[in-house]
Every structure is written in C-alpha cells, then in structure tokens.
Amino acid sequence: AALDEALEAHELVKVRTGAGKKKEARRLAEETLAPALDRADRPCYVAQVVGHTALLYRRRAGPPVVDLEALRKGDPNDLLA
C-alpha cells in the first residue's frame, strides 16, 4: 500500500529488492513488483535496475508529474525544460 501511494504521488520510485544478483533484481522487479502495481489503465514499468535497486514508473491518475510528451517534443539535452 505504501509503495502504491508513493507511485501515485511521485510517479518514479526507487525500490531496494534485496536480491542477491542484478539479474535476480531485474527479474523480481519485472515479474513481481511491476505487475503487482499495475492499474487497469496505468501499467507500472521497470525504468531501470542499478545493482539491487529498481526504479519503477507509473503515471498517476491526475496530472502527470513526469510529462513524457513534453520531453519528446523539447530539447532532449535540457532535462529541466
């Protein structure tokens, strides 16, 4: 429930998996965490895995925090636009 609330508020959340190896961390994130946090119209994605930490993304129900369309249209090198 806390992870679901964090995704709803921030859209991007880091999760330490506790897996022994990076491949295990990715598998755990992709096969267990992300599917458990999917919503009917808003799937949860594994954006990145670094070591034992997975970065999860799910668009929130209200106005998005991370505007992917604006990022696509703008200068790809200007992350603060």
Side-chain angles (χ1 to χ4, degrees):
L3 188 53
D4 191 54
E5 291 172 12
L7 275 168
E8 194 62 30
H10 304 286
E11 292 186 339
L12 284 168
V13 177
K14 290 192 301 184
V15 180
R16 287 207 58 155
T17 63
K21 297 181 180 179
K22 184 177 178 178
K23 286 183 181 180
E24 292 175 22
R26 178 168 292 283
R27 184 187 54 74
L28 179 66
E30 290 177 347
E31 296 178 7
T32 305
L33 287 174
L37 294 165
D38 278 347
R39 295 297 164 260
D41 58 339
R42 297 176 293 127
C44 182
Y45 300 99
V46 178
Q48 183 179 36
V49 175
V50 177
H52 306 279
T53 304
L55 180 65
L56 303 178
Y57 169 78
R58 184 183 74 201
R59 185 179 48 82
R60 68 183 191 170
V65 174
V66 179
D67 188 353
L68 298 177
E69 290 302 317
L71 289 174
R72 284 189 196 126
K73 294 175 185 173
D75 179 1
N77 297 315
D78 187 3
L79 299 177
L80 300 176

